[in-house]
Structures are given as C-alpha cells and as structure tokens.
Amino acid sequence: MRRRRAAVAAGFCASFLLGSVLNVLFAPGSEPPRPGQSPGPSPDPGPGRRGGRGELARQIRARYEEVQRYSRGGPGPGAGRPERRRLMDLAPGGPGLQRPRPPRARPLPDGAPGWPPAPGPGSPGPGSSGPGPRLGCAALRNVSGAQYVGSGYTKAVYRVRLPGGVAVALKAVDFSGHDLGSCVREFGARRGCYRLAAHKLLKEMVLLERLRHPNVLQLYGYCYQDSEDIPDTLTTITELGAPVEMIQLLQTSWEDRFRICLSLGRLLHHLAHSPLGSVTLLDFRPRQFVLVDGELKVTDLDDARVEETPCTGSADCTLEFPARNFTLPCSAQGWCEAMNEKRNLYNAYRFFFTYLLPHSAPPSLRPLLDSIVNATGELTWGVDETLAQLEKVLHLYRSGQYLQNSTEASRAEYQHLPGSTIPQEDYRCWPSYHHGSCLLSVFNLAEAVDICESHAQCQAFVVTNQTTWTGRQLVFFKTGWSHVVPDPSKTAYVRASG
C-alpha cells in the first residue's frame, strides 16, 4: 500500500506540483472545444488486441455521448436500463467551465470523439459569493503544500494551497490506477485509455455544474495541459472537504450528527427534483461524501445516473440490497416509479440515518427520529416526506419546543457570576463538543440548569458567547468552583451552598 501510494504521489507530482516538476503547470493550458465542434482525426492508439481499436473508440464515444446528454440537460425519464456491472466500474466525469476554445489537434482512436462542449457559467472560485471567472491553469503555477488525499478506481485526489492561501482539491486520472491500467493491458493504447478514463472526470464536472446546490461540492475550475507522454491531460479544481469518518462521527454531538442527516435529506430532495430529472447515486457510500464546515456534500458523481429503469411490469422494478429487496410499481408510462429516489433513500438509511439519527438524541425527539429511521428503512416514505420530517425535527430543536417542562420543585439555586469563568475542575460527558471536558449546547438557562442537575458530579457551569449552527449556546459543566477567574466573554453559575 505504501509503495502504491508513493508511486501515485510521485506520478502526480511529476505532472502538476512542486519545484522543477511543476513545469507542466507552466505549460500553456487549453480548454474544451466550442459547442458543436466535431471530433478531430485520430492517431494510431498503439498496438493492442485485434479489433481493440474499434472497441476502445466505441467505449470513448459512448462516454462522450453520455457527457453530451447531461451537458444539454439530460435524457427523459428513462434512456435505457442501467448496465449490471460493478458500481466501481461505472465511474464517469464532466466538461470544463470557461468560455471554450479549441485545443491543439490531438487525435484519438479512429471514430472516437474529442472533448465535449463546456457547460455554462457556474460555481465561482473559492472566496467568491456568486458566479464568476473560473480557476484555470494559471492558478496552479505556484501552488504549495501538496498532499496526497486518496485515490479510487480511476482518480487520485490531492490537496494544494493556492497563492492566495486558499486550500483546494485537485482531481486527476490516476496513472497508476486500476481503470487506466486494465484498459492499457486490454487495448495497449495508453492515450486512448487515458481519454476513456478522463471522460469520467468530464462527466463529474458536468454534473457538479448542473446539480449546483449547498450540498454538492463546488467546482472551481479545470486545467488541460500536457503531461508525461499524453497531451491535454485534465485536472479539476474543487472545493476541499474532510473525509467522512463514521467512527469519528459516532463520537460527536447529536446536534452535529443530525446536521449531517439533514444535509443528506436536503441533497436527496434536490437530486430527486434536479434540472436533469431524478438523479440516483449508484455508488452510495460514506467515501463519496465530504464534510465542509459541518455540512455534508457529495463529491464523487462518477456513478450518478439520471435514467429511470424501463419496465413492462413490477417484476422489472426490483431494488436489490445486501440485506433485503424491494419491488416497486411499474408506471403506465413504462418506468419504475421513483426507483432513483428510493435507491438513494434506502442507502441514506443504511449508511447514515440508522447510525447517526437516534443515538443520544433529546428524549422527546426520539419517537419522531425513530419514525424517520423506520420509514426510510421500509421505504414507506419518499424524499419529500423524509425531508419534511427532518425539517420538523430542526424546528422543534431550534425553537426549544422539544424541551420537557420540569416539575421538580426542589431545584437547586445557582449564583450568577457575570464576566467570570472556571478554568479547571472539568469532567467528561458524552457526547461532548470537547473530548477533555463536558461542553454541551443549550437552548436557554433553564436547560443548562436541568443538565447540571442530571449530572451527579456537576456543581457549576459556564455559559460562553459561542453558538452552534442552530444558534444554541455552548456551556461548560464543572465539578466545582474553587478557582474563578475574570473573563468578559463568559458567565459562571455556581450551585449555592446550603
């Protein structure tokens, strides 16, 4: 694994990064051809198996036409049954984003198309607030701090810092990856195989552009440049996120875990009603998502599909999962009803909701959260109802309506110490915003008192001026108050003696 990672990193750096090996970033960049530009002539792709040139050209053209469909707006409710093959084999990509101009003539295998047309204006560069100029090759000439993030079947991802200090992610075809390697072994055509793999990046670029949403990773730009022995290799520049680590998420506060589930619900609602039609994520796993400032965003759209499944009866509409199967109705128009959104919804249940939603939630919210988990696990709700119930949970939590009125008459009295804090005397609780102390969010002072009363070791608490994403205040709970110090940004409350 270390050898492979080192080889991947070395190959990428030789193409794009650091010192003298950044030479490729100084090479003149090119951009996609104008919309409607016909594919150019094709060179000899190199030796391969007999008949391989035609098959490789067919596969390139099929991916090219897929990118074209999504770039124009996507097909109708169905354009053919999804192929039954390994999901990781389905990776695609999407075109560039500046005003296109023709690249240098770089022929492909006979019959293979060139780059598809670019989409219209889209996500701005980092730090911008609206559509604007995209980042291009010039932005990559003086990057620093290159770090390998990871790689999959087709692509490698790197983190770099732009000259202005902003960190972004770079995606490129992995020259040591399985996708390119298996194609070269089969066809013996390195340039043609690169083009085949790069169309996965192109499709992803188109979908990031067409599906723009707060829970879809932002696409900042792209660069075409010569690399190694292959002309016009493609690098995409995107928003940088943190990988989704489920073990770590299970140790975070319920409020943060709920935010992830709410983000996912909003994303699935957007995909079900997107400008392209209902979009399904065939490869739906935590590794396809990242966290950006606490929000969940989909980053890998290689395996997204818009086409609904055609059918002649309900027997054609079976959703298969490892633990169970579902049979959906076949519509009068000959399409499996809501199969795309139901596939997304059940995957959200089995990878996210069942682990993140109910555990350590406020007791009064648990019945509603259990109903969300059960309904998505049984597919009795669609994405509209699921999102409506998640938004209801948010409203109850943010407004404080979830709080249960306390009838305890023997509540202790607390002395109010404004402009002060208790720097020590911490204890741990779970879940906490801080691993070394008990730091929780509260709706109001009464909830802070209730929490302190429910913890046997709690004798005081400190209200900070920091708030969570829902506007709730963060409070430290303490075992005592033997050492109180001034702090204008905090207020201490200590249990009155006697």
Side-chain angles (χ1 to χ4, degrees):
M1 176 62 74
R2 289 185 177 177
R3 289 180 179 177
R4 182 179 181 275
R5 181 171 293 183
V8 171
F12 183 86
C13 290
S15 304
F16 302 106
L17 304 170
L18 299 184
S20 61
V21 289
L22 268 170
N23 57 358
V24 74
L25 295 181
F26 293 92
S30 58
E31 293 150 359
R34 292 188 178 90
Q37 181 180 352
S38 60
S42 300
D44 185 355
R49 295 183 179 178
R50 189 171 182 177
R53 289 177 58 177
E55 173 59 21
L56 179 57
R58 185 197 67 79
Q59 292 184 24
I60 293 174
R61 179 166 291 278
R63 289 188 182 173
Y64 169 88
E65 290 172 352
E66 181 183 33
V67 174
Q68 289 272 31
R69 286 200 311 273
Y70 295 149
S71 183
R72 289 193 301 263
R81 185 183 302 274
E83 297 179 56
R84 289 180 175 270
R85 56 177 176 168
R86 286 183 57 195
L87 293 180
M88 289 302 292
D89 294 349
L90 269 172
L97 334 90
Q98 296 166 294
R99 260 300 186 224
R101 67 181 183 186
R104 296 176 298 280
R106 303 290 189 186
L108 297 170
D110 293 335
W115 296 118
S123 303
S128 303
S129 58
R134 302 309 182 86
L135 298 180
C137 297
L140 302 182
R141 289 176 183 166
N142 295 299
V143 297
S144 61
Q147 295 179 350
Y148 171 84
V149 175
S151 58
Y153 196 80
T154 304
K155 297 168 295 187
V157 183
Y158 294 81
R159 169 195 172 112
V160 301
R161 194 168 294 279
L162 299 179
V166 177
V168 298
L170 303 183
K171 285 187 180 182
V173 172
D174 185 354
F175 284 96
S176 301
H178 183 279
D179 204 5
L180 186 62
S182 61
C183 176
V184 171
R185 286 191 295 273
E186 180 174 0
F187 298 112
R190 183 173 167 83
R191 292 189 182 186
C193 286
Y194 174 84
R195 185 58 57 96
L196 181 67
H199 272 78
K200 296 180 179 181
L201 266 181
L202 285 173
K203 175 186 171 183
E204 185 167 271
M205 289 174 66
V206 166
L207 291 179
L208 289 175
E209 182 73 19
R210 299 301 307 276
L211 299 176
R212 278 183 289 153
H213 182 267
N215 299 111
V216 175
L217 200 72
Q218 288 191 66
L219 180 64
Y220 292 149
Y222 74 99
C223 177
Y224 283 116
Q225 57 206 345
D226 295 342
S227 176
E228 297 185 4
D229 60 331
I230 298 177
D232 292 333
T233 61
L234 172 63
T235 301
T236 61
I237 311 167
T238 70
E239 187 176 18
L240 180 67
V244 174
E245 303 287 352
M246 294 302 293
I247 298 300
Q248 295 179 9
L249 291 181
L250 292 174
Q251 302 174 45
T252 61
S253 69
W254 175 82
E255 188 174 344
D256 285 347
R257 285 185 274 118
F258 172 70
R259 185 182 188 182
I260 291 170
C261 295
L262 179 63
S263 299
L264 185 55
R266 289 170 173 171
L267 170 65
L268 297 191
H269 182 270
H270 173 66
L271 294 181
H273 303 283
S274 85
L276 297 176
S278 182
V279 178
T280 191
L281 304 177
L282 294 178
D283 189 6
F284 194 119
R285 294 174 295 168
R287 64 179 293 177
Q288 311 303 114
F289 300 85
V290 295
L291 292 173
V292 180
D293 297 328
E295 286 281 332
L296 188 74
K297 299 194 178 193
V298 63
T299 177
D300 197 333
L301 293 173
D302 282 8
D303 301 302
R305 287 186 66 91
V306 176
E307 299 83 358
E308 290 283 13
T309 302
C311 58
T312 57
S314 59
D316 297 326
C317 300
T318 301
L319 270 177
E320 299 178 354
F321 297 98
R324 63 177 304 179
N325 299 333
F326 298 90
T327 299
L328 304 179
C330 180
S331 70
Q333 292 74 33
W335 311 110
C336 295
E337 290 187 7
M339 178 170 273
N340 281 354
E341 74 169 80
K342 291 296 180 76
R343 179 187 287 110
N344 288 343
L345 199 55
Y346 188 79
N347 279 325
Y349 155 78
R350 70 190 185 109
F351 286 116
F352 289 93
F353 293 167
T354 190
Y355 299 110
L356 303 182
L357 265 184
H359 308 297
S360 70
S364 61
L365 291 178
R366 285 175 190 165
L368 180 53
L369 294 170
D370 287 340
S371 67
I372 294 173
V373 172
N374 292 336
T376 53
E378 296 296 326
L379 289 185
T380 54
W381 290 350
V383 294
D384 293 354
E385 181 64 21
T386 301
L387 179 58
Q389 295 301 316
L390 288 169
E391 296 285 2
K392 180 180 179 180
V393 172
L394 175 63
H395 172 71
L396 293 174
Y397 188 67
R398 176 177 273 164
S399 66
Q401 294 181 37
Y402 74 97
L403 291 172
Q404 297 170 323
N405 293 329
S406 176
T407 58
E408 297 180 12
S410 59
R411 177 181 293 179
E413 295 293 329
Y414 287 82
Q415 184 180 355
H416 174 211
L417 304 176
S420 59
T421 187
I422 304 169
Q424 300 175 351
E425 299 180 82
D426 289 305
Y427 66 92
R428 293 183 179 181
C429 64
W430 187 87
S432 171
Y433 284 92
H434 191 279
H435 293 301
S437 60
C438 186
L439 178 62
L440 304 174
S441 71
V442 301
F443 175 72
N444 56 20
L445 185 60
E447 185 177 14
V449 170
D450 285 341
I451 292 173
C452 192
E453 293 289 296
S454 68
H455 293 180
Q457 63 270 59
C458 182
Q459 297 295 314
F461 57 89
V462 177
V463 178
T464 73
N465 63 356
Q466 295 177 296
T467 58
T468 66
W469 66 279
T470 60
R472 294 161 57 89
Q473 282 188 288
L474 289 175
V475 176
F476 285 98
F477 294 88
K478 304 286 184 172
T479 61
W481 64 94
S482 61
H483 183 51
V484 179
V485 300
D487 188 331
S489 66
K490 297 181 176 64
T491 300
Y493 291 83
V494 302
R495 191 189 293 261
S497 58

